[in-house]
Structure formats: structure tokens, C-alpha cells
Amino acid sequence: MPELHAVGVFCGSSPGHDPRNLVLAREVGAALALRGLGLVYGGGQVGLMGAVADACLDGGGSVVGVIPKALFAHEVVHPGVQELVEVATMHERKALMYDRSDAFLALPGGLGTLDELCEVATWAQLGLHAKALVLVDVDGFWDPFVEMLDRMVESGFLLPRNRALVLRAGGADEALDVLAAARPEDVPPAIGLDDR
């Protein structure tokens, strides 16, 4: 895995109903700053996105926000980030976030979060990058997704070695420890009809 300098964080632009999600987002931002790791995220100042960015900034951390111009009317752009990159499309946003990050965390979120983490995992499976991905929650939010991954293995649609690309942690410090110890480059890419 590349040396860790910046971590991409995928999470909701909503705070969700459970206040523990906001606490988790703040803990992740603070932990990144404390460890000297930069944050790369979606650029908003609302929901979990805003909480993780605020905490990282409050801790003296470096924050890069990436946001499509078309979303400015719908998302409140964070005014305090050191670097805000405007892109034309969601595809460009994801590509730039992937390029600027050495590893990824997925906190609770909606369809956008799910899209981002699945694309990162798929690219790792195909050998397009060797960057770790960790699901982070404190309340079992990711349980149904993890169960679906396991069902894909049981049903023959996903190899166990590729299932192992999606890691999990129950808090901010544990998540960063898991990222630091991850070795996704040891997993050979799945290419061919028999490899899923």
C-alpha cells in the first residue's frame, strides 16, 4: 500500500438520525489531524462531511474538498478548507478524490457514499490501485452491506480474496490502525471468467 499522507473519507451530507454518527465523524477528523494525515472529502460543510472537515481543521489538519460546480446550489461549500477543487461532474469528483488519497474510510451515508466505496473496492479488485478501504461505524450501520458481501462469496460471485479488500473498524483510531496495517497489494487482481 502507498505510504499514508492523505485519506479519502466518504460519508453522508446528512447527519443521519443517530447522534453517534456525528460524534464518529468528528473523531475521524480529529484523529486524522492528530496523526498528521490530510483529509480528502466531498467539500461540503453540512452533515457528516462538515463534521469530519471541521474536526480535522480544528486539530490543525490539512483538508482538500472536491465538489462539482453543479452541486453548489444543493450543498453548502465549506469555506474553511485549505484547498477547494471545483470539477464539472461527479465522475471527475470521484476520480480526483481517488487520485489524491492514499487510502479510504467509509462512514455512514447514503447512495453517494455507497457508490464511492463500491467503486474503490472494484478498482482494487481489478488491480487498478492498492489502496485500503475501511468501513467505519459505531452502531452496526454497515452490517447489512457486510452480510451482502458475504452472500456474494457464498453465491460464487465474489472471491474470498476480493471480499477481504473491504475492511472494517468500530471507531476512528481503530480505523486508522487498520489502514496503516493493510496490505491490499498482496491480493492479486481478479481477472477472467473464473475470478470474481
Side-chain angles (χ1 to χ4, degrees):
M1 189 174 88
E3 186 176 341
L4 282 181
H5 298 288
V7 175
V9 175
F10 309 131
C11 60
S13 58
S14 167
H17 296 308
D18 189 335
R20 291 178 293 178
N21 290 325
L22 277 173
V23 172
L24 174 64
R26 292 184 189 111
E27 289 173 349
V28 166
L32 288 170
L34 186 62
R35 296 193 189 200
L37 299 171
L39 165 66
V40 180
Y41 86 117
Q45 69 170 348
V46 294
L48 300 190
M49 285 201 301
V52 73
D54 286 342
C56 190
L57 290 167
D58 289 346
S62 170
V63 179
V64 175
V66 184
I67 191 163
K69 294 177 186 178
L71 291 186
F72 282 170
H74 304 290
E75 290 183 318
V76 180
V77 178
H78 200 299
V81 301
Q82 288 94 341
E83 183 180 357
L84 182 68
V85 183
E86 298 177 20
V87 295
T89 67
M90 290 295 288
H91 293 294
E92 288 181 48
R93 177 196 224 178
K94 290 189 294 184
L96 187 59
M97 287 182 69
Y98 302 160
D99 185 54
R100 297 285 297 265
S101 303
D102 302 310
F104 304 94
L105 300 178
L107 279 61
L111 288 176
T113 302
L114 190 61
D115 171 55
E116 291 163 335
L117 76 90
C118 285
E119 189 162 323
V120 164
T122 300
W123 287 8
Q125 174 180 283
L126 295 174
L128 300 178
H129 70 76
K131 300 176 181 182
L133 167 64
V134 178
L135 307 175
V136 192
D137 63 26
V138 293
D139 60 352
F141 177 86
W142 289 117
D143 286 352
F145 180 69
V146 169
E147 290 168 10
M148 177 55 75
L149 292 176
D150 293 338
R151 184 171 183 184
M152 290 174 183
V153 173
E154 293 165 8
S155 299
F157 292 108
L158 182 65
L159 289 172
R161 71 183 187 211
N162 294 319
R163 162 65 185 88
L165 292 169
V166 181
L167 306 169
R168 194 158 185 203
D173 286 324
E174 180 186 350
L176 295 182
D177 289 344
V178 170
L179 281 185
R183 294 291 175 263
E185 71 273 13
D186 294 339
V187 179
I191 296 182
L193 294 177
D194 294 329
D195 288 339
R196 293 164 290 281

